[in-house]
Amino acid sequence: MQVFSSILDPKVTELLTSGAVGVIPTDTVYGLVCLATSQPAVERLYAMKQRENKPGTLIAGQLQQLIDLGLKARYLRAVEHYWPNPLSVIIPCTDLAYLHQGKVSLAVRIPADETVRSLLLQTGVLLTSSANQPGQPVATTVAEAQSYFANDVDFYVDGGAITDHVPSTVIRIVDDAIEILREGAVKIDENGRISQ
């Protein structure tokens, strides 16, 4: 198990693209991450989180990466004005069952953080889930993440304490109406516009 000081360390990209599972500071909280195109890595991440029928979130550096993964362009283009932002949108997804775990939808976002986007442009789409165990607080430091996952993950990136970040807002669009599933870092008004 390795610890890095930057998510832009070339070894982080190398590990992720070879199917590793790690913990990195995302645009919101510390996240457990793996390459979304690696089914074995995805299954390992879900096993670590003891998750069934509760898929994680896909984060991408740009819209085209999500389309290339297999998500429908029409759904993505309808919400692309929300990104980049700490705002996740639930998108219908009939394929990629290993990712959506039978939910037939996935939460996706393009992070506002430029460093995170730079990593994603190198790795491709990552699956992420908060770095904690069910019912436990989200890790705000690498030490806390290590207390949850120890040597089960392949690497950690120490981005310092993340105590001021708020989880992403999660929304779903149903018949042209915005349904807010989780209030978070971005506020959405009743018309579906980002409010400051």
Side-chain angles (χ1 to χ4, degrees):
M1 186 268 299
Q2 301 174 73
V3 179
F4 300 98
S5 59
S6 169
I7 62 172
L8 296 182
D9 188 309
K11 288 181 182 168
V12 171
T13 299
E14 188 181 313
L15 282 162
L16 285 168
T17 53
S18 65
V21 177
V23 171
I24 68 168
T26 70
D27 56 321
T28 54
V29 296
Y30 272 99
L32 195 61
V33 296
C34 72
L35 198 63
T37 53
S38 171
Q39 186 167 342
V42 167
E43 288 170 356
R44 197 171 142 221
L45 184 152
Y46 282 151
M48 280 183 213
K49 284 282 298 213
Q50 303 162 43
R51 279 195 135 165
E52 285 184 31
N53 298 316
K54 195 175 178 191
T57 299
L58 297 178
I59 53 175
Q62 59 188 19
L63 201 69
Q64 190 60 46
Q65 289 181 315
L66 293 165
I67 295 168
D68 292 344
L69 181 65
L71 295 174
K72 297 274 190 294
R74 69 177 182 274
Y75 296 130
L76 293 165
R77 297 213 189 284
V79 295
E80 69 178 315
H81 60 281
Y82 286 124
W83 299 317
N85 251 321
L87 183 136
S88 301
V89 183
I90 307 280
I91 301 287
C93 176
T94 51
D95 300 326
L96 307 170
Y98 73 95
L99 283 168
H100 67 62
Q101 297 191 315
K103 289 292 188 186
V104 204
S105 63
L106 283 164
V108 299
R109 83 171 174 270
I110 296 173
D113 187 291
E114 286 185 26
T115 308
V116 175
R117 281 205 315 277
S118 294
L119 171 70
L120 293 165
L121 289 172
Q122 294 173 52
T123 61
V125 181
L126 296 181
L127 174 71
T128 184
S129 182
S130 57
N132 63 329
Q133 290 296 352
Q136 298 296 313
V138 174
T140 58
T141 64
V142 158
E144 288 175 12
Q146 288 171 328
S147 75
Y148 292 134
F149 302 110
N151 292 320
D152 290 343
V153 300
D154 302 304
F155 70 92
Y156 293 87
V157 176
D158 190 345
I162 301 179
T163 54
D164 58 342
H165 289 197
V166 178
S168 68
T169 298
V170 181
I171 65 170
R172 176 169 49 207
I173 298 172
V174 183
D175 298 328
D176 298 327
I178 301 288
E179 182 183 353
I180 299 170
L181 302 179
R182 180 176 74 194
E183 289 274 4
V186 174
K187 302 295 177 224
I188 302 283
D189 67 20
E190 63 277 4
N191 298 312
R193 288 190 295 264
I194 292 174
S195 56
Q196 301 302 330

